[in-house]
Amino acid sequence: MTHTQDKSAAFGLGVVIFIYLAVLTALECFVAVTFEAISILVVIALVKAALVMYYYMHIYQLNAENEGDENSYAFKTGTNRFGLWLFLLSDAFVFGGLLVMRFNLLAMTRPHLNQTLGLIVTAVLLISSFFMNRGETAMAHGDRKGFLRNTAITFVLGFIFLIGVVFVEWRLAAEEGLVASFGNTTVGPQGAVFYMMTGMHAFHVFTGLIFLALVWNNARKGSFSAERHWGVEAATIYWHFVDLVWIFFYPALYLIGKLS
């Protein structure tokens, strides 16, 4: 999406990308259940990540020309955008390390997790990215009410995801023997992998919710406009990054490998 598109076209593109992501997620589950083809799952995850990065996170804007006064809003936005992406790149190494840990410790086995719940929380997070994209698009076209409405929906969906992982999935996982270390109880490699990966991601979802709440409140006060809304863009990119990480964590935890 570019901000030079008309509003309906920008919304339409967001819908198309969401449909692609939904179809690819369904294909991901089908491949995992039917073929157990890891290479295909990796390709699907990479395609989904590319769609999110290019169309939802607008990574191409890093090449945007920022001519003019160094004190101008446009120039500062370009600098801030570059700094945000550097931060996300450094954060990506943390999550990449967790993925390496997962395959080093568990190889081609996976923990016994609730597949239905995993698919549900994944769908919820993907849908939240869809509404976040609509919120940013609305603000980019001067629609403050549209931004507030769509960002509020994103916040609720993100909160549902957080509850689903931390309060539901963790409890179900504990019942399957994936327990943390308490007293004389020693956590196994599967428990270590599961709680580290989901816990670190849940922390980022939590901080993302705080980010969304702050930006929503500032928008309510009229702090943003179609021409000046870097805070909205930053919150959007960060939220989509959270989704991007889960695109890889979901198959790594729920789909790849045999049950041990």
Side-chain angles (χ1 to χ4, degrees), residues 12-57:
L13 179 59
V15 172
V16 170
I17 298 305
F18 173 73
I19 292 173
Y20 284 156
L21 292 172
V23 170
L24 287 170
T25 301
L27 178 62
E28 199 172 36
C29 294
F30 175 77
V31 169
V33 172
T34 308
F35 303 109
E36 297 183 358
I38 296 175
S39 59
I40 297 178
L41 292 177
V42 171
V43 170
I44 292 174
L46 290 173
V47 172
K48 289 169 66 178
L51 289 173
V52 170
M53 289 181 67
Y54 189 82
Y55 290 103
Y56 279 179
M57 299 175 72

Side-chain angles (χ1 to χ4, degrees), residues 160-171:
I160 291 173
F161 174 87
L162 192 64
I163 294 296
V165 172
V166 175
F167 292 97
V168 180
E169 181 65 291
W170 283 10
R171 179 179 60 81

Side-chain angles (χ1 to χ4, degrees), residues 165-258:
V165 172
V166 175
F167 292 97
V168 180
E169 181 65 291
W170 283 10
R171 179 179 60 81
L172 295 176
E175 292 175 358
E176 293 291 339
L178 291 174
V179 295
S181 179
F182 292 103
N184 295 324
T185 303
T186 303
V187 64
Q190 287 198 347
V193 167
F194 172 72
Y195 289 111
M196 279 296 297
M197 291 178 70
T198 57
M200 182 62 74
H201 185 264
F203 173 75
H204 281 71
V205 172
F206 178 70
T207 56
L209 290 175
I210 295 175
F211 201 174
L212 292 183
L214 292 173
V215 171
W216 186 92
N217 187 54
N218 286 335
R220 181 182 60 83
K221 297 176 180 178
S223 300
F224 304 117
S225 65
E227 295 76 23
R228 303 171 69 91
H229 60 275
W230 161 246
V232 171
E233 181 184 336
T236 300
I237 291 174
Y238 184 82
W239 189 258
H240 292 317
F241 174 74
V242 170
D243 187 11
L244 181 70
V245 170
W246 192 253
I247 283 175
F248 292 99
F249 275 22
Y250 169 60
L253 287 172
Y254 288 87
L255 303 179
I256 293 177
K258 297 184 180 297

Side-chain angles (χ1 to χ4, degrees), residues 5 63 65-66 78 119 129 159 166 168 186 191 194 223 232:
Q5 286 181 305
N63 292 324
E65 295 290 337
N66 296 306
L119 181 59
S129 267
F159 187 74
V166 175
V168 180
T186 303
F194 172 72
S223 300
V232 171

